[in-house]
Amino acid sequence: MSVEAHLAELLLQREIEAFLYREAELLDERRFEEWLALFTEDARYWMPIRRNAPSDAPERERTREGVDVNWFDEGKDTLSRRVAQVRTGVHWAEEPPSRTCHMVTNVQIVRTDGDEAAVKSRFLLYRNRVETETDVLVGKREDTLRRIAGQWRIARRMILLDQSVLLVKNLTFFI
Amino acid sequence: MSVEAHLAELLLQREIEAFLYREAELLDERRFEEWLALFTEDARYWMPIRRNAPSDAPERERTREGVDVNWFDEGKDTLSRRVAQVRTGVHWAEEPPSRTCHMVTNVQIVRTDGDEAAVKSRFLLYRNRVETETDVLVGKREDTLRRIAGQWRIARRMILLDQSVLLVKNLTFFI
Amino acid sequence: MSVEAHLAELLLQREIEAFLYREAELLDERRFEEWLALFTEDARYWMPIRRNAPSDAPERERTREGVDVNWFDEGKDTLSRRVAQVRTGVHWAEEPPSRTCHMVTNVQIVRTDGDEAAVKSRFLLYRNRVETETDVLVGKREDTLRRIAGQWRIARRMILLDQSVLLVKNLTFFI
Amino acid sequence: MAETPKLDELVDVDAGTISREIFVNEEIYRQEQERIFARAWLLVGFESQIPQPGDFVASSMGEESVILCRDRAGAVHVFLNSCRHRGMKVCRYDEGNTREFLCPYHGWSYATDGTLVGVPHQKDAYGAQLDRSRWGLVEAPRMCRYKGTVWASWDPAAPPFLDYLGGYALYLDLLLDAWDGREGGAEAIGGVHKWLVPCNWKFPAENFSGDRYHGVSHRSVDMVGIGPSGKGRRDMQERNEARSLDVTFPDLGHSMIAFLRPPDAPLAPAYQDSPAVGEYFRYCEEERRRRRGAHWRLFGGPGTVFPNASPLARQPRTIAVWHPRGPHQTEVWRWYLVDADAPVAVKDFLRHYYIRYSGPAGLTEQDDMENWGYAHAASRGTVARRHPYNYEMGLGRATRGFEDHGLALPGRIADIVPGTASENNQRGFYTRWRQLMGAASWAELA
Amino acid sequence: MAETPKLDELVDVDAGTISREIFVNEEIYRQEQERIFARAWLLVGFESQIPQPGDFVASSMGEESVILCRDRAGAVHVFLNSCRHRGMKVCRYDEGNTREFLCPYHGWSYATDGTLVGVPHQKDAYGAQLDRSRWGLVEAPRMCRYKGTVWASWDPAAPPFLDYLGGYALYLDLLLDAWDGREGGAEAIGGVHKWLVPCNWKFPAENFSGDRYHGVSHRSVDMVGIGPSGKGRRDMQERNEARSLDVTFPDLGHSMIAFLRPPDAPLAPAYQDSPAVGEYFRYCEEERRRRRGAHWRLFGGPGTVFPNASPLARQPRTIAVWHPRGPHQTEVWRWYLVDADAPVAVKDFLRHYYIRYSGPAGLTEQDDMENWGYAHAASRGTVARRHPYNYEMGLGRATRGFEDHGLALPGRIADIVPGTASENNQRGFYTRWRQLMGAASWAELA
Amino acid sequence: MAETPKLDELVDVDAGTISREIFVNEEIYRQEQERIFARAWLLVGFESQIPQPGDFVASSMGEESVILCRDRAGAVHVFLNSCRHRGMKVCRYDEGNTREFLCPYHGWSYATDGTLVGVPHQKDAYGAQLDRSRWGLVEAPRMCRYKGTVWASWDPAAPPFLDYLGGYALYLDLLLDAWDGREGGAEAIGGVHKWLVPCNWKFPAENFSGDRYHGVSHRSVDMVGIGPSGKGRRDMQERNEARSLDVTFPDLGHSMIAFLRPPDAPLAPAYQDSPAVGEYFRYCEEERRRRRGAHWRLFGGPGTVFPNASPLARQPRTIAVWHPRGPHQTEVWRWYLVDADAPVAVKDFLRHYYIRYSGPAGLTEQDDMENWGYAHAASRGTVARRHPYNYEMGLGRATRGFEDHGLALPGRIADIVPGTASENNQRGFYTRWRQLMGAASWAELA
Ligand code: FES
Ligand code: FES
Ligand code: FES
Ligand SMILES: [Fe+3]
Ligand SMILES: [Fe+3]
Ligand SMILES: [Fe+3]
């Protein structure tokens, strides 16, 4: 491959890692409006429920987007309402605000297609609030990123939380 | 250094990070046969037991490869049997399958020598299974990677788990 | 941008990631004197206490450097004494030594200015000692790195631990 | 802590005071497991979860794992999920279809009807010793299927389920009957929300029994708007036009928030975010008026079937079970319901609404969990436990024999000023709680 | 476990043996909450934390969260942080300024003086039922402000705070009075250290009461040097020249390590890392000698105000509270003090010294936490609990009516060989612990 | 829960039923600590772990940390790992060599024979007060070295270890004697597996006592093959040709699965993955036949020395201790044995086999842990606890005075059909458990 081609590959990886780190920064600094702006208007945000299924029946292992009850299965409109709720100042579950930390690792560009990139990453989300309340959520994300006017946007996010019974009392944060 | 030299360095780092992320993906997607194929035929897989030793007697701090009882101290043949066991469908400790997540960070290429690279990384392995059973293992890996026919392979892995008494009931997964 | 310019960007990111991974390696291998040498003579090491404040009173959310009581608010001299203490062999809180693992992620270069770089990163610090004692600390770091004689040095570090009540009994390690 | 006299000091529904002890005390919790959860009728699941012979789903009764299963002959069973030999959990899957449950420890196997069918080396190892008929899976001695739901009790002496429901059936049906007025016809959407909340199980149980009072909890949602017409939490006009009734059956423990619309009420605008959905409900309501006579006027809100099953009859239409997990933790299971015959577009519209409203990611219930958790935590201390909770709201203002334009409704009913509230239902809940905790057997309660 | 006779077997201060049971036994812990923490005077915070009307800070009394608040009229209150309706924690902030505390569950609101001022729909929902005057925030019936500190007790029958302090006030003042000899004048630096330690609360309480003996714990610090003159832990000369007194009040439970300098002692060199700071203390000491008469000679070290407030009078100048969090865990709160009038440079110098010495990141106290944690853990076992701790050090060698060059000091005092130690103070601490644990009421103790 | 009559209801070995309570009940667990673990002989470690004077290793007896130490004079001791002053854990290392144990809290120091040799400032601080001879480390009053293993008991009245072992010594020797028939000669490979399992300690203890029945647990390993000849779990021919004996000593509580080969049995092929290893064992067996007379025919499998030490005599050759860590958790310690004189190649071959078979990473035992953990969890519930476990297998089919071709074997022996199983050994284990739990002292048991 030519120097330019190699370089392009490296730059793309760098760009996307930077994008995901920036996203985490916006979330943990509670700059939610800027975070929302990272999503395309037609964005999908989906987090299935995981089930304990026999190893030979993987199709039962997670709930279906657009069909079953999921943890999240929504578009930008609902995401916007979540952000608006935090800003009311009377969203008690986030008053006082939680201290969150999104650790993003294992960033993989699995496919690029014109202005779209399919990206996998892993997350560890640490939440601590009030006195000693502490939660840790770990899992994978599969994003479809789209380059619009030179800026990357999230067109689709699938969140695969590695829990079946959710071990936290609520999901008042974004992953 | 020349542009080419710099680029080569960056590409090697990228290649190896991509390799380790890919490995984690295969493990967490339970594609164990593909994962096995990442190991050389003469591969070594070693995880010592850690001891509490005086700071001035570091030699007592871990068990010895090839001499003492370790958590793992084996080659590809035993690894293959582990994979075969998971596939029997009656390996109860993994039925239903565990939900695992390998987070890989701090990838350092500490030495390259022809087709071999000595690579250090850190891992956080999250395991959740059945209802609420949850384990977190954290530590370091020291790998010797070998490039064979243009593909990286794991020729040797040393896993330094940061626990003395193992805090999980079994090790039915790979690190 | 020119190839050279792109490459320079990539190399800087790589350099700084390598620097932070190296730092973590020195800490976890307890090579504290080498770690100290990574700090400039005028270095500042600050870790504020976090408070639960109303979302509309963010100024109350953390203690002030140089004014309030903080977890850490010191320079290289005090850091050096901490290292010297570990080396006495009678610093009981680290006898036997803790097993620590610093996982560093989300490395962001937020600003460069001549020989200085403002760098953000996230950490997960795992500590396990004696039999089953285990602590996990998660949060962010904001570093000012300075290039001196071609080597990066830490001129300033702010550690934002995502806890209010500290959930560990002591801070006998560095973050 | 557990003797009857003490309980009387702790729970004084007539005075409207209840001690915090019953929420945080370990001994009282232990007694609840014996006297309430090992005795009462509990919701296990939905028949629609196990349509075929051999289908099973894991469920929970109180603290314990159970298997809801349809045997090869089509009969429904509820089994304790534990092998009779050494107790191994015989089923560790959430759902599936099977011929038998094979214990992975020593290989005893149980048919889908619970009988012990396989015992390795039985002849050589046990000879005549083992009477297999006595060692099948422990089956809940009482099981009842009701309009698609499955209920069970561990106590052979428990009253029949319909007696246990009593007059409350009328209200539970507001959840389980189709909105067009036909009997039954509700189905659970695939996927069950399961999550942990750090509070005693009675916080959510009493809240759902009839807490109209916690509007401030949800003020943020009312400001943002997530309802089916884009505003507030739900469509309010039909509620606002109706009489607001807090219905409880103190001697059964069941309660519901209900609404009774005027005889001549026109159709209230609703589901305006989707013409198709609006149209569907308009059609259903016409059908409902036709089929149900005066009863079309009645619709429901949240409620609780004693002890821990909480229907929410509409907007959103769900049923939750509050499984105790120690005195200080509750595992919530939540099913979401739609009319089985509704068009796909309607089901999908409702599913989106349900999820954004309910559960751990629901804009509304996130704040409930925060309140239940910290209310519980702040009630554990030595000094806190000396100060009872206040249940005086609307004390003495409920009546039996409610009637409106010739429509009589069962239960002890508080007819409240719309927009306000009463603790009539919570007092009903704890009246029954007190009865069961004090009684050595169902016979004593008769 | 909790009957009086048993306690006598467990605690034998005359023989100098105390059973490990009192540190690890659940039942004894429960009784401590009733008989000690719900009864004794506890340190809540500093007035300087709430200078303005409406200012509040969250604090803790025993296991429970409380609010320390200055009402709109300027009066100081201590409230249980729990709503009277269903117990919700009404204040989840660490500090702030407010007009009222609004409960986020149902919206009851309480004025800063604790009165229940807001009850949604009171008229419609409660009518005459609810007597608001009976349902305000639970206020600590006893509260006392003392030289900038705020103390409270849950027991209306508790003796007045000054009686509770008794002769110990002289020693507590060594912390709270300005070093130049003026009354009061100490202020807490902003920021409170709060952290968890895996040990029973009595380990730190007894250690601070007067443990001169654990030098080996801190040997590493003595080798490294973190003191204000660059050596050891602190400036030693003034200590070395002084008489070393272990002071305890067995019938109060309070203790302190104190030092009495010779009448003719010259100023001892100190704070040599900073001429400015050294000069400040030289000046203060002159003032102190002038103002205090013979009492200038007295200065203090660590101590404990029974049960769990531990002043450290100087070098470093702090006060800690050891909040019980179950028998096996303690939450430490630690304030750091300076003379309010000291120059900024002095305050800053001291702040740096305090932090590197104290708390979880303090080079000195890190090792205390290690020792307390593993001493506790190693005392939980069945066999360990059969072997009491040893408190024989200096048994029978303390005297009352201590006097030196005409200066009489209160308390039972062990006059020890400088550099050595005694367990006089720990025995005093457990004497009082035994009294409170055995008494059904304050009256019994009178 | 803990009174004798109740225990009789819970444990009925004659009927073959045992209540789940004894596995999950907190009070029974507490009583086990007093009556079993503070009284019985427990395995502490191996002499080979402390070859030199001053060598020590940390170990555990029941819940408590102990130090196994060889003093400067070469004598072996077992000490409670807790300082007599305030309980600090005096040794926090897993192993090492030392002149003394220095307590890091106040500096008391103990010689390797446990005597209190160092007390800072003793003269000035304690004067005549402290009788050092009474405050040495708490030493286990009973300690016994047996063929390289070290055992101890906290009860001075415990019977001598050899009486405690009784006729079981013959079987324990199958682990500890060299395979060539010489006495002793086994050594522990360096490195001890230590890990936590979420189950009561009796699950593994009874499983090892003689559970031939759980083949289904290990079916996956039998399919994959990890044995020394590449197939199954181990070499089976010698087992298949032998008589299968389940041996128990109900009045001692010890058991083992044993095998008795025919007098004329030829050498069975084994260790075929390595000619060298196969040759070694062939040679050893010849020696063994020469040295042991008829006894060469006997070899062992898994067993349990009451209460919690479990030898596995061969394939793999290990011994485990099941340390209780609360009723719901067990910490396993596992040593792996080889003949000290075996060639390095043989030791290395066995080490690989042992590791892939045993422990948390062992293909075989991974599934045991899964079963023990979920069997325990599924037995905790209120309803589950009403249904006892079944121990009827082979009831009444064991005999005393077993003999075969003139070779008499001690113990109550069930002679079972090869490939099948019996619960003879588990019944023996619980018979003794019941005796100790019911007896106030060893005297009562005599
Ligand atoms: S536990 Fe199920 S067969 Fe033994
Ligand atoms: S709990 Fe505070 S208002 Fe109801
Ligand atoms: S605890 Fe060991 S010397 Fe004090
Ligand atoms: Fe609500
Ligand atoms: Fe100290
Ligand atoms: Fe097994």
Side-chain angles (χ1 to χ4, degrees), chain E residues 83 85-88 103 105-108:
Chain E
C83 182
H85 181 239
R86 286 293 190 281
M88 180 57 187
C103 179
Y105 193 173
H106 305 93
W108 281 19

Side-chain angles (χ1 to χ4, degrees), chain E residues 261-434:
Chain E
R261 296 168 64 186
D264 54 359
L267 176 76
Y271 301 99
Q272 297 178 52
D273 277 359
S274 161
V277 178
E279 170 53 26
Y280 172 75
F281 279 100
R282 191 197 56 65
Y283 162 80
C284 285
E285 185 163 321
E286 276 172 12
E287 289 295 301
R288 174 182 178 76
R289 293 186 186 213
R290 199 168 51 67
R291 287 201 175 89
R292 284 292 167 104
H295 274 283
W296 78 265
R297 298 167 50 197
L298 186 67
F299 68 95
T304 293
V305 179
F306 190 87
N308 68 331
S310 292
L312 203 171
R314 71 187 310 226
Q315 295 211 340
R317 186 176 178 187
T318 83
I319 188 160
V321 181
W322 321 106
H323 300 297
R325 296 287 183 256
H328 312 303
Q329 190 176 56
T330 298
E331 183 172 323
V332 188
W333 284 32
R334 175 59 83 45
W335 290 268
Y336 297 89
L337 277 60
V338 289
D339 288 341
D341 302 342
V344 169
V346 171
K347 290 181 177 179
D348 192 53
F349 177 93
L350 293 174
R351 187 177 58 87
H352 279 103
Y353 168 50
Y354 295 170
I355 302 180
R356 73 178 176 260
Y357 185 107
S358 304
L363 279 76
T364 305
E365 295 188 351
Q366 291 173 347
D367 292 312
D368 288 315
M369 259 80 77
E370 180 79 359
N371 281 320
W372 300 337
Y374 281 101
H376 180 95
S379 298
R380 295 181 63 175
T382 302
V383 173
R385 280 185 281 106
R386 297 174 179 175
H387 297 276
Y389 289 156
N390 182 299
Y391 290 82
E392 295 181 299
M393 205 190 314
L395 201 54
R397 288 200 262 151
T399 57
R400 294 184 179 280
F402 174 93
E403 201 200 294
D404 175 294
H405 295 77
L407 177 63
L409 294 178
R412 187 182 78 195
I413 297 182
D415 181 6
I416 67 171
V417 179
T420 74
S422 156
E423 281 164 343
N424 175 54
N425 292 6
Q426 290 89 331
R427 285 186 295 269
F429 176 86
Y430 290 108
T431 297
R432 187 56 168 174
W433 182 89
R434 175 68 192 82

